Amino acid sequence: NMGRLSTTGLQFGDTVFGRNAELSTIKEAYRRAVSGDSELVTISGQSGTGKSLLAFEFGKYVLADGGILLSGKFDQRQQGKP
């Protein structure tokens, strides 16, 4: 399975290389929230920049830590549907 190169890093399977800084930032916010602070994290960017995979990687971290993860995804083509 060949990797895929994007503007954000290199992807092999379900692992992205080159997004460690962003993933660390999200993990730090999670740790602060677990400690009682209020945190809100949004992931935004152009199509194809690895947002979904970054969220997936973070979700694996939360679940491995015993946390609960709620996530959503906006589909621009389905704006009229809730």
Side-chain angles (χ1 to χ4, degrees):
N1 184 4
M2 292 297 292
R4 181 175 54 138
L5 185 61
S6 73
T7 59
T8 58
L10 183 63
Q11 175 185 351
F12 286 100
D14 287 337
T15 303
V16 173
F17 299 89
R19 295 298 294 259
N20 292 337
E22 294 89 345
L23 188 56
S24 292
T25 298
I26 297 169
K27 287 179 179 180
E28 289 170 14
Y30 169 74
R31 286 190 288 270
R32 288 190 301 268
V34 168
S35 297
D37 292 342
S38 296
E39 296 287 332
L40 172 67
V41 172
T42 60
I43 301 172
S44 62
Q46 294 181 337
S47 177
T49 57
K51 299 176 301 294
S52 295
L53 196 52
L54 181 63
F56 177 75
E57 288 292 317
F58 171 66
K60 290 193 307 187
Y61 174 80
V62 170
L63 296 175
D65 190 53
I68 297 171
L69 178 72
L70 302 174
S71 67
K73 185 173 181 176
F74 174 73
D75 185 345
Q76 195 171 35
R77 295 173 297 234
Q78 301 293 324
Q79 290 183 14
K81 297 180 182 178

